[in-house]
Every structure is written in C-alpha cells, then in structure tokens.
Amino acid sequence: MAAADTPVLLLNAPLVASRLGYPDLSGLDLLEAFAFVHPARFCVPTPRGLAEALGLPQPEGDAGVPDLLQHAAGALIAVCRDPEWFEREGAWSALQSLERLRWPWAQVLKPHIAKPERAERWLFSRLPEWEEAGERPAPRAVELSSQAVAEQLARLTGEGAEQREGQRDYAQNAARVFAPRPREARPHLALAQAGTGIGKTLGYLAPASLWAEHSGGTVWVSTFTKNLQRQLRAESRRAWPAKRADGTPPVVVRKGRENYLCLLNLEDALQGGFAGRAAILAQLVARWGGYTRDGDMIGGDLPGWLGTLFRKRGIAALTDQRGECIYAGCPHYRKCFIERAARDSAQADLVIANHALVMVNAARARDPAARPTRLIFDEGHYVFDAADSTFAATLSGQEAIELRRWIIGPEREARGRRRGLAARLADVASYDEAGGEAIAAACKAGQLLPSDGWLQRLNENAPLGPVEALLAAVRTATYARDESGGIDAGYGIETEASGLPGEVIEAAGAAAEALASIRVPLIRLGGRLEAILADPPDWLDAQGRARIEGARFALAWRIDLVAAWESLLARLGGPADPEFVDWLAVDRSDAREFDVAIHRRWLDPMKPFARVVLEPAHGVLLTSATLTDRGAQSIGSEEVWASAIARSGAAHIEGAPLLSAAESPFDYATRAEVLIVTDVAKGDLPALAGAYARLIEASGGGVLGLFTAIRRLRSVHGRVADRLARAGLPVYAQHVDPIDTGTLVDIFRDDPRATLLGTDALRDGVDVPGHSLRCVVLEQVPWARPNILHKARRAAGGGSQYDDRIIRARLAQAFGRLIRSKDDAGHFVVLSPAFPSRLLSAFPAGTPVLRVTLDQALQRVAAGVGGMQSLPTQGALLP
C-alpha cells in the first residue's frame, strides 16, 4: 500500500515487485539512475553491489539497506554535480528527452545537471568511424620450439607464480597444432583434457600468442559460455596490450549479429519506434552506446540487468535479430559496431568467439579466405551439441514467417523499419529489368508462406496457402500419433517422420512446389546482382557496391535455407536416410502452442563438422576438463578416449589425433565429499522442497541447486524462498526471478549467504571460486530426455552405455562447479536414492562418496568438509 501511494526508492523494481506479488510497483529505481549516470560500468544489482560500485560502506544486514539507498541516491546526484564527471557528454540532452517521457528520475536529476555551453552532439555523430585496412597476408610457416613455449608460459604466469608441471606439459601439447600441416584436408588435431586447476587458458594462450607473433596470423579461441569469453578477455591481457601502437586491438571478441547494438534500430526507437517504458530504455541504451567498448549488448559491458528493468524484449528489438541488415545501405554503416568487430577481427592476433559463430562462419562466411585456420575449442565437450544445432534443418511456422517478412517486408500497419526485397533493392530494380522481374516474382511467391495469425488459423482448421496447409497436416498427425503423455502434461509433443498419412505427404509435395517457386527467382536475382558488380553502372559507388555484396550474401543464405527445406520435404514418404533423424513436432509450453515444425538432424553431426570446420583448418585443439569418459578404468585406455574421438569429429578426418590428459592438482579426497541422500522419495515435491530448505540452512547459504525440470525448480522455490529470506538467506532462481542468468550468477558470487537455483545453464557455465559456493545440490540424476533424436542416437551408440556416458559427463560438469581453486571445499549432494553405482566414476578419483539419510547429510554439511574428521563415520562409504 505504501508503494502504491508514494514514490519510493527501490533497487531492482521488477525483482521487488515479484517478491511482493505487486506487479505494478513503480518508483525511483536506483539501478536506472546508475545506468544513466554511469553507462557501461559494472554494478551487481544488490545493496552490497551498489555500495561497492559507489564506494559507500556496505550495509550491515537488511536493516541498513534503507539508509544505503538514500546515501546511494545522494552519491549519484553528487556525481552529476562533479565537474570531473567522466560520462557527462550527452547527459543533458538525454535528460531532456527522458523528461518528456516522464522518467521518474528526470525531475530529481535535472537541477544537478548543468546545461552545456555548446549544443551536445547526437550519439550518431559522436561515434568514430571504422576504417578499411589492407588484406592481411597469409601467416608464415613457423615451428615453435619447446623452450620458446616454456619461456612464454613463464612470462604469462608471472614471476614468482606457482610452477605447475601439468600446465607446462599441456602447453607443449597445445603447441603442436600450430605446426604447418602435412597436406591438404589433414589438419593437426589435438584432444587435450585438462582437469580443473591445471590452468589451461594460459596453457594454450602461451603457444597461441607465440605463433601469432612469429607468423603474423590469427588464432581463434571458441567457447560455449559467455562467462568463459569474459574470462578469456581478461587473461589475454597478459599476452597482448589493449591497443597496438597504431591503435588497433590485438584481441577481439566476436559474437553473432544478434548480440550487438544495431544503430539503425536504435535510431528508429529514439524517433518514435518505441513508446512508454521501452522509449526510456532506448534513451538509456543510447547513453551506453556513447561509452561502450564494442557495442556488445549480451554479455558485454551493457549491464545485464538493464533490459529486465523494463519487463519487455526491448534489448532484443535493438539488435539485428532477424538478419535484416541492409549493410552499406544503412546511414550508420561506417560506425556500425558489428562491421567494426568484423574488420578488427581480420587484423587481430586473437579472436574470442563462440562455437556457433565459428561453425556458421566456416559454413557460409562472406569471405572464404578469411576463415580461421588455427582454432582452439575451449569447453570442447560442447562442440558436438553446437554442431548438432548448426547443421540442423527445421521447417517451422516461425522460421517460414520470418522468411516471408524478409522477402515481402511490412504488411498491413506493422511498425518498425523492416523493409522487403523491393525496398532494399529499388535502385537495382529500376536499373536492371531482369533483376526487377526476379524481385517481383520472389515477392509474389513469398505470399505462399505463412502470414500473421497462422497459428490461430491452424487451431481453427482454416490454413491459408500450401505451407500453412502442410503445418496443419503436421499438427494433426502429431496429435494423433503422440503416446508420450505430453498432451495432458502441457509439454511439447513429437512423432517420427515415418509411415505418415497421405494428407501429410500430399501437403508436403504442394509446399515443396511453393518453396521452389521462391528459390528460383532468388537464384535469378543473385545472378543479376553478380552481373551488376561485374559490369557496374556509372551510378554504382563504393557504398552501393558494398550494399549489393551484402544483399548477395543474405540471398545466398536464404537460398540455402529454402533448398534445405525442400530436401527435408522430399524425404517425407520416401525411404529413411540412415544419416539423418527426421520427426514432426508441436512445440508447447504450459499447454500453449507456439510453433509447429518438421525437424531434420544428422545422426552424427560431426560428419559435416569435420568436412566444413576441421578439413579446411591447419590446426585444431579441442580442450575441456571433461573430454573423456570416466567410465573406463584408466585414463590411458582406448575406451576412455573413444567417446571423445567420436564427439570431436576426429574419426572423420585422415590421421590420428594427439591425445593428452592432465589430471587436476586439487586434493579432492580432503576438500570435497559426495553425499547421496537415500530417503527423499522421487516425485515427493514437499519432501524435495524441505530437503533443499534444510540443506541451505545447514550450509548457511552458498548453495547451487541444480534441477532437471523447470516445473520442479519453480515449485521448490515457491515453497522455500520466503522462509529462507526471513532467516537472512536470500534465494534466487533462474526461470523465476526477472533477471538474466549472468546477473544471477554475479549476485550469487557477491553474497556468501545467497543460494541460486537453476537448470542446465548453471550446471555448465558457473565459475564461482571461494566461499560463495560451498555446496552443490542436485535434485536427481540428470537422465537424458528420451525424445526421438536421443533414442536414435542411443540405438546407434551402444544403448545404455551411450546413456551412461552422457550422464557421467553431466555429473562431472556439475561436480566441477564445486571446486574451482585449491582453497575451495564443499559438499556435492544428490537427492536421489536411485543412484546407480556405475555412475560413481563421474567423480574425481579419491573423492569420498557416501550414501546417507537426509539427517546425516545435514550434519556433514553443517560441519563443513574441514570438520568431517570430528564426526563419526555415517552411512555407507562407497569405493
């Protein structure tokens, strides 16, 4: 009631509103003020984090928070009056716009921000332009000596640093992938397992930096998580300066286009494309745009919490989500963050990217000559999953409607700057008659694709056009054949694409003809664009040429997409292809449908990965702490490496890979303990919630809770969060709290009494060394979901042995969250009485594993690992 009647000082209004159950909560959110005053500056969105960012004393308990919020507001206002305020430029102009938008802070800050003597430049005139650089010469062939690699590693680790033999051996093995390759399509391939604590990042950066220096080439390091990308950027400063003498960066972070601020989308938002709270967000993002390092909105220096303060997908709308970039046709092309990153990476010594981008870049790079030739896949155990997604084909309603919008452009009264082919290439159409005819034919054929409201029409059995008719037939067949029980449970449903009814096969034929009618004019248009570039007209300047080249690239991408869909449809009703797994699906969440699709996946996605990524490369290193299967007896046995070889693509290229393993130096026998709780029955949600609450209390927070189902996570959180928060043990949860995952981890890391609940993303991407994480609680054994794709791969991969390898890898990854440094200690608790002994090898050798009751587990967690010796031996100690 107080919050409704009076504007109050808040910190993270959406989170407070969620906890209070009062969604319309509003007031003066200090995070919004911080984002305005200090754009592109990091701040953990908690009282502790805000105090640290502003240099204020940290509050002692919740009672001190109200005073802190007032002092924080005063500190932010004081910054605005400070003549040395670094982020002053643009603040006064932005505040005028925010005042018109009725931003609550505008009236508070206005008296303290003086009007500048000269009119402030608009963001788009302040941003520097990138410059073209000459093509970088091919790297020289160099051999790295063992002594040079050892000396470089010593320089990077620093004087007086602990000398680790495992790290030295690892660096020497990593160096071997930088030797000149023996012949075409036969790269040097190394699989290197490095246990936690080996220091693999510096281990491979040492030979990588040495090779880049002597060869003049570029090394690409690919990760699966944004957290590791941030860590790599920090570690790389040991080997390279922030800028070279000529001002160019030797280290560049590259991500997909959808991660960067699109200046054209931002301009549209600032000029009326956004309304209400979204318009305020656009102004704050514009403030950030003037100070950002590289324009990265997802995992970069834009605060991860900023978008969540506004409750809508405003951040996504400011990026190029749909691949609709018009390249040189954009008025901000010369200042584009994406184009700058692409050019910087072409001249960089080290490019930090992600698995998906590396694979997409290899498959359809605009410049094949710029493809990376020296690759390091960190978190290499995820290469299989990334390849599985990259080389998949999916014909769905959502994908098809995006293609329609790209071809036709806005229909009816759609808002935004989206433009179709005719608008983007109007000058081509007016100059080249054949090109104009191709554009017109493509736009006409594009009308056959699904349009707005397609899902509702499917529900009403009234599809429009051949593709919608196909999706309707797929939906009907999937519902009719489903035997999973997912219909009643509200989950998505699927069925194999075999023995399909005639209606589906007939509809697939008609849809394939419609797709062909789209593909043919697109191919014709691509040919006309090539002809214009080959014999350019007088009016075609450099900017126009660049725009046409961008359009050619976008066309080639869509032509390949449509061809893949046609191939997918041609399979329906015909003989099965043993190389692929095909199925139909209706995607649902909480019983609400959001898509209908036909899927095709490679049974072994490492086949195309080997052909597209490995064979063109000269040297590739796949590294991880969990590359091998721990089910075998010894690390040197062939059985241990069989899975790693199969899931790396090594089996599909000539030559045997170099295999190396460095064991973790951590003393797991005395620093960790695995507790398998035997008296929490599966499916008993009250008992599960009670167990989590009591374990969190026994540990005093510092718990990472991992779940295999979002529903159970939400149920447990709803039962325990309030009780624990009242005891001073805050609980945060993925899929519950309106905060992005990266920020949740930052909050968890910052508060030793906090607990974080989550799913797979937390099992694999959390790096929280120290006291903040001292107990990992696994809700149950993370069995693989028995869907159609998994069943096919299970049958081809050895049945239950295939399952066990996956589960052991997941358990090893989850356990790896617990001990991140030599001083870490803690418990790994599994709330599952049905834990097969054959999976125990997932844990490091020597780690004590006990089957205990919940009460016994609570005693051991409360005593801590260092206090285990004072407890009597309880439960059954497992070998």
Side-chain angles (χ1 to χ4, degrees):
M1 289 174 62
D5 293 341
T6 309
V8 293
L9 280 174
L10 298 163
L11 188 67
N12 200 337
L15 179 62
V16 175
S18 173
R19 296 292 169 87
L20 291 178
Y22 185 70
D24 296 324
L25 182 67
S26 61
L28 295 166
D29 193 331
L30 282 157
L31 290 181
E32 293 183 27
F34 187 91
F36 177 85
V37 175
H38 294 303
R41 190 177 298 189
F42 177 74
C43 170
V44 177
T46 61
R48 284 169 51 95
L50 184 64
E52 183 176 351
L54 296 176
L56 299 174
Q58 294 194 359
E60 297 182 5
D62 291 346
V65 172
D67 280 344
L68 169 69
L69 299 188
Q70 294 175 69
H71 284 106
L76 290 168
I77 290 171
V79 170
C80 296
R81 294 196 297 261
D82 187 348
E84 301 299 320
W85 180 22
F86 173 70
E87 300 99 335
R88 175 179 297 280
E89 186 175 11
W92 186 86
S93 300
L95 196 62
Q96 308 312 301
S97 299
L98 287 165
E99 184 181 18
R100 290 192 292 272
L101 295 170
R102 299 183 180 181
W103 184 45
W105 278 101
Q107 294 299 327
V108 179
L109 298 178
K110 185 177 180 181
H112 307 285
I113 299 180
K115 182 177 180 180
E117 295 179 3
R118 296 181 179 179
E120 293 181 316
R121 294 177 298 164
W122 201 25
L123 167 68
F124 303 101
S125 60
R126 286 163 50 202
L127 290 173
E129 293 189 353
W130 48 260
E131 295 180 357
E132 294 284 6
E135 187 175 332
R136 199 176 194 190
R140 295 182 294 276
V142 297
E143 293 276 1
L144 302 181
S145 70
S146 298
Q147 182 179 350
V149 172
E151 291 172 354
Q152 181 75 341
L153 179 62
R155 279 194 293 270
L156 298 191
T157 54
E159 197 173 327
E162 177 188 357
Q163 296 297 310
R164 288 176 271 188
E165 184 178 351
Q167 187 182 43
R168 289 196 298 271
D169 292 342
Y170 177 89
Q172 296 294 344
N173 288 325
R176 293 170 66 175
V177 304
F178 294 100
R181 67 179 179 180
R183 63 173 183 266
E184 188 179 7
R186 187 171 174 178
H188 292 291
L189 176 61
L191 309 182
Q193 178 161 287
T196 308
I198 285 294
K200 63 177 167 49
T201 303
L202 292 181
Y204 61 64
L205 284 182
S209 57
L210 201 61
W211 180 83
E213 178 186 353
H214 288 90
S215 71
T218 303
V219 179
W220 282 59
V221 178
S222 178
T223 76
F224 191 73
T225 61
K226 293 183 176 67
N227 178 65
L228 183 56
Q229 284 188 329
R230 288 196 295 267
Q231 179 184 328
L232 267 167
R233 182 192 279 272
E235 294 277 20
S236 68
R237 296 192 185 106
R238 300 190 186 208
W240 289 278
K243 297 284 185 183
R244 298 189 184 103
D246 61 0
T248 59
V251 179
V252 176
V253 175
R254 279 289 305 276
K255 298 181 180 179
R257 305 185 67 87
E258 68 280 359
N259 288 274
Y260 294 92
L261 173 64
C262 171
L263 294 174
L264 195 55
N265 281 350
L266 177 62
E267 183 182 32
D268 178 66
L270 294 174
Q271 294 183 340
F274 281 16
R277 290 276 292 163
I280 295 173
L281 172 63
Q283 291 290 339
L284 294 178
V285 169
R287 280 278 291 150
W288 165 81
Y291 296 93
T292 176
R293 177 179 56 236
D294 54 13
D296 180 3
M297 301 187 77
I298 315 295
D301 54 13
L302 181 77
W305 40 259
L306 183 60
T308 62
L309 298 181
F310 296 85
R311 301 189 187 127
K312 290 191 176 181
R313 290 178 52 81
I315 294 294
L318 293 173
T319 64
D320 179 17
Q321 288 282 326
R322 306 183 184 100
E324 60 184 15
C325 180
I326 55 177
Y327 298 97
C330 173
H332 309 301
Y333 180 68
R334 298 287 303 184
K335 300 179 179 183
C336 175
F337 291 113
I338 305 167
E339 294 296 327
R340 179 186 301 278
R343 281 158 180 77
D344 284 346
S345 65
Q347 303 296 322
D349 294 337
L350 178 72
V351 177
I352 302 169
N354 58 60
H355 294 351
L357 177 66
V358 167
M359 293 180 198
V360 169
N361 191 53
R364 53 170 186 260
R366 291 174 68 180
D367 180 8
R371 290 172 179 167
T373 60
R374 269 73 180 183
L375 278 162
I376 298 172
F377 287 98
D378 203 337
E379 298 178 308
H381 57 285
Y382 280 118
V383 166
F384 184 94
D385 297 317
D388 191 25
S389 298
T390 302
F391 301 108
T394 300
L395 171 54
S396 72
Q398 298 290 358
E399 293 277 347
I401 199 171
E402 281 301 323
L403 178 62
R404 177 191 178 105
R405 290 166 177 166
W406 181 82
I407 294 172
I408 298 175
E411 298 180 88
R412 301 197 184 110
E413 298 180 359
R415 297 180 63 180
R417 67 167 185 84
R418 182 189 293 276
R419 296 194 293 167
L421 273 178
R424 289 198 298 273
L425 297 173
D427 51 353
V428 172
S430 62
Y431 167 76
D432 185 85
E433 183 178 353
E437 290 175 355
I439 292 172
C443 291
K444 180 180 179 182
Q447 302 282 348
L448 301 173
L449 292 166
S451 58
D452 292 335
W454 69 275
L455 199 52
Q456 182 177 346
R457 289 194 292 276
L458 261 58
N459 282 314
E460 296 169 352
N461 198 26
L464 289 177
V467 180
E468 281 191 25
L470 169 63
L471 296 173
V474 166
R475 178 179 180 273
T476 300
T478 306
Y479 271 101
R481 292 157 54 127
D482 178 68
E483 298 184 48
S484 67
I487 295 176
D488 296 331
Y491 301 135
I493 56 175
E494 60 184 23
T495 185
E496 293 182 5
S498 60
L500 294 173
E503 294 84 353
V504 174
I505 297 170
E506 185 177 346
E513 291 180 9
L515 293 174
S517 70
I518 296 171
R519 178 174 51 84
V520 170
L522 291 182
I523 292 174
R524 211 161 54 234
L525 176 59
R528 295 313 306 159
L529 295 181
E530 287 187 21
I532 291 174
L533 290 174
D535 185 16
D538 295 338
W539 52 263
L540 189 65
D541 56 12
Q543 184 174 352
R545 173 180 285 274
R547 180 169 53 81
I548 290 178
E549 286 178 345
R552 280 179 59 207
F553 172 71
L555 270 172
W557 174 17
R558 269 69 182 198
I559 290 167
D560 289 345
L561 176 67
V562 175
W565 287 352
E566 291 181 70
S567 175
L568 181 60
L569 296 181
R571 148 76 182 90
L572 300 182
D577 187 332
E579 295 274 12
F580 297 97
V581 182
D582 301 332
W583 72 96
L584 319 180
V586 178
D587 295 330
R588 306 163 80 230
S589 177
D590 294 326
R592 185 181 66 84
E593 294 180 17
F594 58 89
D595 209 355
V596 178
I598 307 172
H599 295 277
R600 162 168 278 196
R601 295 286 182 99
W602 282 83
L603 183 65
D604 180 3
M606 304 320 290
K607 288 184 177 180
F609 172 79
R611 185 181 70 252
V612 172
V613 180
L614 294 184
E615 288 185 356
H618 288 238
V620 181
L621 170 69
L622 273 78
T623 185
S624 167
T626 55
L627 271 186
T628 61
D629 176 25
R630 291 179 176 167
Q633 293 299 313
S634 64
I635 198 70
S637 73
E638 292 184 6
E639 183 184 348
V640 169
W641 284 103
S643 175
I645 291 172
R647 294 175 73 87
S648 68
H652 304 299
I653 63 171
E654 283 189 58
L658 167 68
L659 307 176
S660 68
E663 293 297 316
S664 172
F666 296 155
D667 183 7
Y668 292 105
T670 61
R671 307 297 298 177
E673 191 175 57
V674 177
L675 304 176
I676 300 173
V677 176
T678 59
D679 57 349
V680 177
K682 183 178 180 180
D684 188 342
L685 278 176
L688 181 66
Y692 263 97
R694 295 175 68 191
L695 285 165
I696 292 167
E697 289 169 338
S699 181
V703 174
L704 176 64
L706 300 175
F707 289 78
T708 57
I710 295 174
R711 281 190 175 186
R712 287 193 293 275
L713 182 156
R714 288 172 172 163
S715 178
V716 168
H717 178 270
R719 292 170 186 264
V720 308
D722 187 62
R723 159 186 163 182
L724 293 167
R726 292 177 187 278
L729 299 170
V731 179
Y732 300 92
Q734 200 186 13
H735 308 293
V736 176
D737 290 321
I739 308 177
D740 66 288
T741 301
T743 302
L744 283 173
V745 175
D746 289 336
I747 294 171
F748 178 56
R749 183 185 293 112
D750 192 56
D751 186 354
R753 292 181 63 80
T755 287
L756 179 56
L757 308 180
T759 52
D760 289 358
L762 298 185
R763 183 189 69 214
D764 305 322
V766 174
D767 186 12
V768 182
H771 192 59
S772 288
L773 200 170
R774 50 195 178 274
C775 183
V776 175
V777 181
L778 200 60
E779 159 227 5
Q780 66 175 32
V781 178
W783 301 110
R785 185 166 170 257
N787 55 28
I788 290 171
L789 180 61
H790 173 77
K791 286 187 286 187
R793 287 179 177 160
R794 184 180 188 274
S800 62
Q801 294 179 356
Y802 176 82
D803 280 342
D804 288 351
R805 285 195 296 269
I806 291 176
I807 306 310
R808 280 192 291 263
R810 291 178 179 177
L811 289 169
Q813 281 294 316
F815 181 86
R817 303 309 100 207
L818 184 64
I819 308 293
R820 307 300 297 171
S821 71
K822 65 178 182 177
D823 297 321
D824 285 358
H827 288 89
F828 186 87
V829 183
V830 185
L831 300 174
S832 174
F835 191 105
S837 297
R838 67 181 185 276
L839 300 179
L840 294 176
S841 59
F843 305 117
T847 307
V849 182
L850 294 93
R851 293 190 189 271
V852 295
T853 64
L854 179 60
D855 287 339
Q856 292 168 342
L858 293 169
Q859 292 181 49
R860 304 190 78 83
V861 169
V865 172
M868 289 193 304
Q869 288 79 1
S870 62
L871 288 173
T873 301
Q874 299 164 319
L877 183 63
L878 299 174

